[in-house]
Amino acid sequence: MPNLASMSFFIPELILSAVALILFIFALVSDKAGKKGEYASVIAIAGLLASAVFVLKNFNIGSPPLFWGLLVLDKPAAFFKEIFIITALIVIIFSQRSNELRAGANDSAEYYSLLVGSVLGMNLLASANNLLMIYLALEFVSLMSFILVGFARGSSRSSEAALKYVLYGAVASGVFLYGASLYYGLTGTLDIKSFLTISPSPHLTISLAGLFILAGFLYKIAAVPMHAWCPDAYEGAPTPITAFLSVAPKAAGFAVLMRVFSAAGDGFNWPLIIAVISAATMTFGNLAAIPQTNVKRLLAYSSIAHAGYLLMGVASGTPRGAEAVYFYFAAYLVMNLGAFLVVQIIANTSPPLMGGDIGEGGRESLAAYKGLGRRGASGAILGITMTIFLLSLTGIPPFVGFIGKFYIFAAVMDAKLYWLAFIGIANSVVSLYYYMRIVKTIFFDEPADAVQPAFSSRRLAAILGVLSFATIFIGLYWQWLSNIVAAVIA
Amino acid sequence: MKGYFPLFLLLQTGMTGVFVALDFFLFYFFWEVMLLPMYFLIGIWGGPRREYAAIKFFLYTLVGSVMMLLVMIAFYFYSEGNTFNILTLMDQSVHIGPMTAHNFRLLCWLGLMIAFAIKVPVFPFHTWLPDAHVEAPTAISVILAGILLKMGTYGMIRFCYPIFPDITFEFAKWIAVFGMINIVYGALCAMAQKDFKRLIAYSSISHMGFCLLGMASFTNEGMNGAVLQMFNHGTITAQLFLIVGIIYDRVHHRDLEGFGGLAHIMPRYAVWTAIAFFAALGLPGLSGFISEALVFLGAFKMWPWYTAVSVSGVVLTAAYVLWTYQRVFLGKINEKYKNLPEISWRETVTLAPLALIVVILGVYPKAMLDIMNATLVGINQLFVK
C-alpha cells in the first residue's frame, strides 16, 4: 500500500508521536512548577487511550501491508499493541506516586514523553515486516528504555544500570545488524517473507544469519545467553520502569520474534534452537533467583524464567503455541505488574534502612518484608496481595498464572516436545521455592520493626485492588480471554 | 487467629472438591487449591520447625501434581473428543494415538502413580509426612491424617485402576511390594521414635500400607478391606492425634520418656486412649481389625509371600502401641505431672464420636461395606480376564 493511503491505518502511531512531541514542548513552556508531572501524565493517559481506541477500530480489517510492506497490520500486532498500551497506562499510574521519580527528577514531563515514545516504538516493532524496520524499531525502543532506566537522576545505581543496559544493547544490535546484512547478502531483500523463496535447505550461512538475528530478539526478551543485562537494569531502574520493562518490551520482543518465526523459522532452523534456549532460560532464571535477597532482583530473575516459559510456546511452533503465548502475556501483565506494585508501595513507605537513600539498600531487600503480614491491616493486605501475585507467577490455581501455564504446557505437549514439558514442570517446582521464600518472610518471620506500611496514595491502593482482583477473577473465569486470544489467531 | 478459620474452610473446600470432582481438570484444580491453606496453616500456627515442614509439604506435593498436570494434558490430546471427563476416559476405546501404546501408557501411569504415592505417602516419598505432622497444630494433623492422605489412595482407585487397568495389573506386584515396605518399615520407624506425635505419624505410614496391599490384590475382599482401611485410618489416627494434642496442651512436650503413670492421674483420658490404641493395633471388635483382616484375606490369594511378611507388621504395631501405652500411662507416676487436669468435656466431645464409629464398624462393618462393595466389585471386573 502506498504511503499516503497507509496513513489512515497509522492513526494510533500518529497520535502517540503527537503526544510525545506535545509533552516535550509542554515540558519547556509550562510554568506549573510542582504540578508539571501530574499534568503531563494526564496528557499521556489521554493519548494512550485514544491510541488504544484506534487500534481496536483497526482490529478487523484483515492484514494490509502498510508503507509498501514495511509494516503489516494484522491481529496479533493489534493484540500486542493493546498489551503495550495497557501496561503503559498502569505504569503511568505507578509513576505518578513513585517517590523515587519524585526525588530524582522532580515532576518532569519528559519522563511521560519517553514512556509514550517507547510505546510508539513497540507498536512499530510489533507490526514491522522488514528487517530494516525491525532494526529501527528495536533501536527506538532500546533508546527510550536506556533513558528511562537511568531516570532516577540522584541515584548512582540507576545510572550504572542504564550504562550496563546501553553497553549490552549496543552489542546486541550490532550482532543483529550483522545477521541482517548476511541475510541481505543471501537473498537480496530485507523483507522477511522472501526468505521462503530461496532454497529451503538450511546451510551454514543461512543458519548463521538466523542465529544472529535471533540474538537481537533474545536481548529484547532477556533470554539466555543475552540475559546478563536484565538483573542489573531491573534492580537499578526506578520500580515503575522495572515493571514496565518486565512486560512491555518483552512482549514487543515476542511479537517480532513470533512474526519472523512464522515467516522463516523453519528455514533458519529455529524450532530446535528456541526449544533449547527456552529450557536454558527458565532453568537459569529459576536457579539464579533462589539466592537473591533483593526482591526486585529476584523478580528480575523470575522474569527471565518467564521468558523461558513463553519461549516454550514459541518453540512448539503451532497456532496453539501462539495462542498460549498471547494468553500468557495477558496473565503475565496482571500478575507481574501487581508484584512490582507491592514492591513499590513497600519501598515508598518503609522506614529508611541502611543509608536511607531512595532505592539504595534496605527498602527493596527481603529484610524489609519481614513480618509484613503482621504489621497492621495495610501490612496484611499488602502481604496477601503479594502472595496472590507470587502464587500466580508460580502457576498455582485458582490464579490466572495457572491457566496461562496450562495453555503453554498443553501447546508443548501437543507439539510432542515431551522433554521440554518435563523441564518446564521441574522449573515450576523450583520456582515455588523462591516465591514462597518471600511469602515465608512476609507471614512467618518475626517483624523486624513495628512500623506499619501505609498506603501512601489511594490511587495505588485502587490499582492494587484491581490487579489482584483480575488475578483471581481471570483465574476462575478465563473463557472470555481465551475467546479473545482465539480471535487473534483466527 | 483471624486467618485460621478462613484458611481452614478453604482447605475444606479443596478437599471436598477433590472427592466430588468427576472432571480431571476440576480434580487437579481442587488438588492444588488445597495446598495453599495447608501451607499457611502449618507455617503460621505450627511448631518450632514449621517453616521447614510447610515448604517441604508444598514442594513434595507440587512435584507430584505437576506430573499429574502433564498426564492430564496428554489425556486431553489423546482421547477421542478431547475430554477431561473421568467417566469417559475409563472407556478404553476413547484412548487414541500414543495413549494406546504400552510405553506411553506406562509413563502416564507412573506420572499419576507418583503424584498419588507422594500424597499417601508411599516409601520412599514419605519423609514429608512426619515433619508436617509434628509441626502442624493438632486440628491440622487430624485433617492431614484423616483426609489428605486418602486423596492419594482415592486417586489411585479413581484414575490408575479404571483408566489404566492393563498397566495396573502388570505392576500390581510393585504396588504390593511398596505396600509391604510401608507396613513393615513404617512400624519399625514408629518403634524407634521418642516423640509421641512422630510415632503416630509413622504408624500412619504403616497403616496406609494396608490400603496399598489390599488394592494390589484385585479381590473383592482385598479392595473392600483397602477402602475400609482408608476410612478406619481416618477415624483411628484422628483419635490418636487428638490424644497427643490433649496431652501436649497440658505439658507442652511430646517426649515419650517424660511421662509415666498418667493412668492414675487422668483415668478417663487413659480409657479413651486405650480404645484408640487397641483399634490401631487391630483388636477384634474394633474397626481396625476388620479392615486389616479383609486386606490379608484378599492379598494372600494373590501375593502370599508379601502378605506373610506384611503380617509381621501387625505384630510390630502391637509392640510399639503397647510399649507406648506402657511408657505413658503405666509405671511410676511422674511427680511433675501429679496435678494434671482430667480430660475436659470439650475434648471428650471430639473423641467420643470417633470412638463410637470405631466400635460400631468393629461390630457391624456391613454398614460401610454395603455402601462401597458394588463400586469396588465393578472396578475388580476390569481385571477379571
Side-chain angles (χ1 to χ4, degrees):
Chain A
M1 199 181 283
N3 289 350
L4 270 180
S6 302
M7 277 300 174
S8 61
F9 298 105
F10 201 57
I11 294 173
E13 284 78 8
L14 290 178
I15 293 176
L16 291 177
S17 324
V19 170
L21 293 175
I22 289 170
L23 283 173
F24 269 123
I25 297 164
F26 175 77
L28 291 175
V29 300
S30 165
D31 53 355
K32 303 223 169 19
K35 281 276 181 195
K36 226 195 262 184
E38 194 78 27
Y39 285 114
S41 66
V42 173
I43 298 173
I45 288 175
L48 286 169
L49 283 176
S51 169
V53 170
F54 281 100
V55 170
L56 271 188
K57 224 183 118 213
N58 285 344
F59 185 71
N60 258 332
I61 50 157
S63 46
L66 307 182
F67 302 105
W68 306 106
L70 279 181
L71 297 177
V72 65
L73 196 67
D74 54 6
K75 286 173 181 172
F79 177 80
F80 274 112
K81 285 174 189 175
E82 294 294 346
I83 293 267
F84 308 145
I85 291 172
I86 294 168
T87 312
L89 284 172
I90 295 173
V91 166
I92 285 175
I93 298 173
F94 289 7
S95 312
Q96 288 172 333
R97 291 288 178 271
S98 161
N99 285 1
E100 284 169 285
L101 291 171
R102 273 195 217 155
N106 38 19
D107 94 289
S108 73
E110 293 94 339
Y111 173 82
Y112 297 102
S113 170
L114 290 168
L115 210 55
V116 172
S118 169
V119 174
L120 169 63
M122 288 185 282
N123 275 3
L124 293 176
L125 192 54
S127 44
N129 201 25
N130 177 296
L131 282 179
L132 189 63
M133 193 63 221
I134 290 174
Y135 176 70
L136 289 175
L138 266 178
E139 284 298 279
F140 194 167
V141 178
S142 296
L143 284 173
M144 296 292 163
S145 313
F146 298 152
I147 309 173
L148 286 170
V149 166
F151 215 83
R153 276 177 222 149
S155 155
S156 59
R157 200 176 57 153
S158 177
S159 315
E160 184 194 328
L163 189 62
K164 276 183 184 156
Y165 196 10
V166 171
L167 290 177
Y168 279 109
V171 173
S173 49
V175 173
F176 176 84
L177 263 188
Y178 189 41
S181 61
L182 280 178
Y183 178 87
Y184 185 69
L186 289 167
T187 61
T189 172
L190 286 166
D191 188 88
I192 56 172
K193 286 260 183 327
S194 56
F195 185 83
L196 298 172
T197 58
I198 61 167
S199 146
S201 64
H203 61 75
L204 191 63
T205 329
I206 296 176
S207 294
L208 207 62
L211 206 59
F212 286 159
I213 291 174
L214 185 62
F217 302 150
L218 294 182
Y219 165 75
K220 207 77 243 150
I221 62 180
V224 171
M226 309 294 284
H227 63 280
W229 59 274
C230 173
D232 289 325
Y234 281 21
E235 187 190 352
T239 311
I241 290 306
T242 311
F244 184 68
L245 288 183
S246 72
V247 180
K250 203 169 273 218
F254 270 98
V256 67
L257 173 62
M258 286 163 80
R259 184 180 298 285
V260 177
F261 186 94
S262 64
D266 288 330
F268 284 141
N269 213 5
W270 272 4
L272 184 64
I273 297 176
I274 290 186
V276 171
I277 287 174
S278 155
T281 304
M282 56 193 167
T283 310
F284 171 82
N286 281 322
L287 292 181
I290 290 174
Q292 300 307 323
T293 53
N294 179 303
V295 176
K296 243 160 106 177
R297 203 174 172 85
L298 188 149
L299 287 174
Y301 282 110
S302 118
S303 89
I304 294 178
H306 280 271
Y309 297 141
L310 285 157
L311 279 175
M312 281 204 286
V314 180
S316 68
T318 53
R320 199 188 283 279
E323 215 171 305
V325 172
Y326 297 152
F327 190 97
Y328 202 88
F329 256 111
Y332 182 66
L333 185 161
V334 177
M335 57 197 183
N336 214 42
L337 289 185
F340 277 112
L341 177 58
V342 176
V343 173
Q344 185 188 334
I345 293 176
I346 289 172
N348 270 356
T349 57
S350 288
L353 303 161
M354 286 170 62
D357 209 24
I358 296 300
E360 303 283 341
R363 296 179 176 191
E364 289 155 7
S365 72
L366 209 49
Y369 291 72
K370 273 194 176 168
L372 180 69
R374 294 190 233 159
R375 283 192 253 153
S378 53
I381 291 172
L382 283 172
I384 291 169
T385 46
M386 188 64 165
T387 308
I388 291 173
F389 297 132
L390 292 177
L391 284 170
S392 180
L393 285 167
T394 319
I396 303 273
F399 305 114
V400 63
F402 165 66
I403 311 296
K405 234 174 215 178
F406 174 78
Y407 278 124
I408 296 261
F409 281 123
V412 175
M413 295 283 282
D414 189 31
K416 301 203 165 48
L417 289 166
Y418 301 124
W419 63 273
L420 190 60
F422 206 77
I423 293 177
I425 58 163
N427 270 291
S428 287
V429 177
V430 174
S431 74
L432 175 80
Y433 178 73
Y434 62 82
Y435 288 130
M436 279 299 115
R437 214 157 57 97
I438 303 180
V439 174
K440 184 209 88 160
T441 314
I442 291 177
F443 286 103
F444 302 171
D445 284 4
E446 287 303 316
D449 48 54
V451 179
Q452 299 194 358
F455 286 108
S456 51
S457 82
R458 223 171 274 168
R459 201 167 298 193
L460 292 186
I463 198 96
L464 183 67
V466 170
L467 288 173
S468 46
F469 175 77
T471 306
I472 298 174
F473 178 76
I474 308 176
L476 292 172
Y477 180 62
W478 63 90
Q479 191 61 47
W480 60 275
L481 186 56
S482 117
N483 287 343
I484 292 177
V485 166
V488 170
I489 297 289
Chain B
M1 291 299 279
K2 236 190 297 175
Y4 184 87
F5 291 104
L7 286 169
F8 200 97
L9 288 177
L10 192 62
L11 182 66
Q12 193 80 33
T13 310
M15 290 182 314
T16 314
V18 163
F19 287 107
V20 298
L22 277 181
D23 180 283
F24 207 158
F25 193 91
L26 197 65
F27 178 88
Y28 182 82
F29 191 88
F30 283 121
W31 179 278
E32 295 267 278
V33 161
M34 177 219 73
L35 294 180
L36 184 61
M38 201 64 191
Y39 171 77
F40 282 108
L41 287 167
I42 297 177
I44 298 179
W45 289 279
R49 285 169 75 235
R50 55 181 184 264
E51 289 163 15
Y52 170 78
I55 192 70
K56 193 170 179 182
F57 163 79
F58 209 153
L59 284 173
Y60 265 67
T61 317
L62 194 71
V63 169
S65 53
V66 288
M67 281 193 244
M68 199 199 306
L69 176 68
L70 289 192
V71 176
M72 175 174 103
I73 293 170
F75 266 125
Y76 180 76
F77 288 120
Y78 304 135
S79 64
E80 196 111 39
N82 300 37
T83 180
F84 283 129
N85 188 321
I86 298 171
L87 299 179
T88 315
L89 289 174
M90 285 183 191
D91 179 3
Q92 298 298 315
S93 63
V94 303
H95 295 195
I96 52 171
M99 202 49 100
T100 52
H102 175 267
N103 286 346
F104 192 84
R105 286 173 75 81
L106 174 58
L107 218 59
C108 290
W109 182 85
L110 262 183
L112 284 177
M113 207 61 183
I114 291 175
F116 297 135
I118 290 173
K119 204 87 207 178
V120 169
V122 177
F123 175 89
F125 306 113
H126 65 284
T127 59
W128 65 268
L129 183 81
D131 286 314
H133 267 312
V134 168
E135 302 309 326
T138 302
I140 303 309
S141 283
V142 169
I143 295 282
L144 192 60
I147 304 172
L148 250 71
L149 304 191
K150 276 61 186 191
M151 288 168 38
T153 39
Y154 168 77
M156 290 177 190
I157 294 185
R158 173 59 89 188
F159 289 90
C160 298
Y161 272 60
I163 299 180
F164 297 107
D166 46 340
I167 310 284
T168 311
F169 193 74
E170 195 182 332
F171 285 82
K173 182 181 161 192
W174 293 104
I175 302 178
V177 166
F178 278 105
M180 176 187 78
I181 295 177
N182 254 37
I183 294 171
V184 178
Y185 175 82
L188 287 173
C189 284
M191 206 179 271
Q193 297 311 316
K194 296 257 180 292
D195 182 311
F196 202 164
K197 210 168 180 186
R198 227 180 162 79
L199 182 141
I200 308 292
Y202 277 108
S203 87
S204 180
I205 295 176
S206 175
H207 281 130
M208 289 308 283
F210 289 107
C211 297
L212 291 180
L213 188 65
M215 279 159 54
S217 72
F218 305 115
T219 54
N220 293 343
E221 300 92 323
M223 285 291 254
N224 272 308
V227 177
L228 188 62
Q229 172 74 0
M230 289 183 209
F231 183 83
N232 288 343
H233 176 265
T235 49
I236 297 169
T237 311
Q239 279 186 76
L240 295 176
F241 279 115
L242 288 172
I243 283 162
V244 178
I246 289 168
I247 191 71
Y248 183 78
D249 277 347
R250 286 170 172 65
V251 301
H252 298 289
H253 76 82
R254 290 182 300 257
D255 184 9
L256 284 171
E257 309 293 344
F259 301 105
L262 283 187
H264 300 288
I265 307 164
M266 305 162 72
R268 274 189 283 142
Y269 176 59
V271 172
W272 287 114
T273 311
I275 296 174
F277 271 28
F278 286 130
L281 65 79
L283 190 77
L286 299 174
S287 64
F289 170 73
I290 309 285
S291 49
E292 282 172 26
L294 279 173
V295 164
F296 287 136
L297 219 66
F300 191 76
K301 291 183 194 163
M302 189 85 177
W303 314 108
W305 286 108
Y306 303 141
T307 312
V309 177
S310 304
V311 172
S312 74
V314 176
V315 181
L316 292 171
T317 307
Y320 70 75
V321 164
L322 293 175
W323 190 33
T324 307
Y325 198 80
Q326 188 186 344
R327 279 185 288 179
V328 176
F329 290 93
L330 308 177
K332 268 220 308 253
I333 295 176
N334 188 337
E335 293 299 319
K336 237 193 328 186
Y337 300 134
K338 227 166 59 185
N339 298 320
L340 282 187
E342 178 59 286
I343 182 170
S344 72
W345 67 268
R346 187 201 292 268
E347 288 156 350
T348 314
V349 167
T350 56
L351 283 171
L354 294 171
L356 193 67
I357 295 173
V358 166
V359 174
I360 291 177
L361 284 185
V363 180
Y364 188 68
K366 200 164 173 289
M368 271 299 280
L369 293 174
D370 277 352
I371 299 174
M372 60 206 195
N373 186 43
T375 312
L376 295 173
V377 170
I379 289 176
N380 267 344
Q381 292 299 320
L382 295 171
F383 300 96
V384 178
K385 297 269 160 87

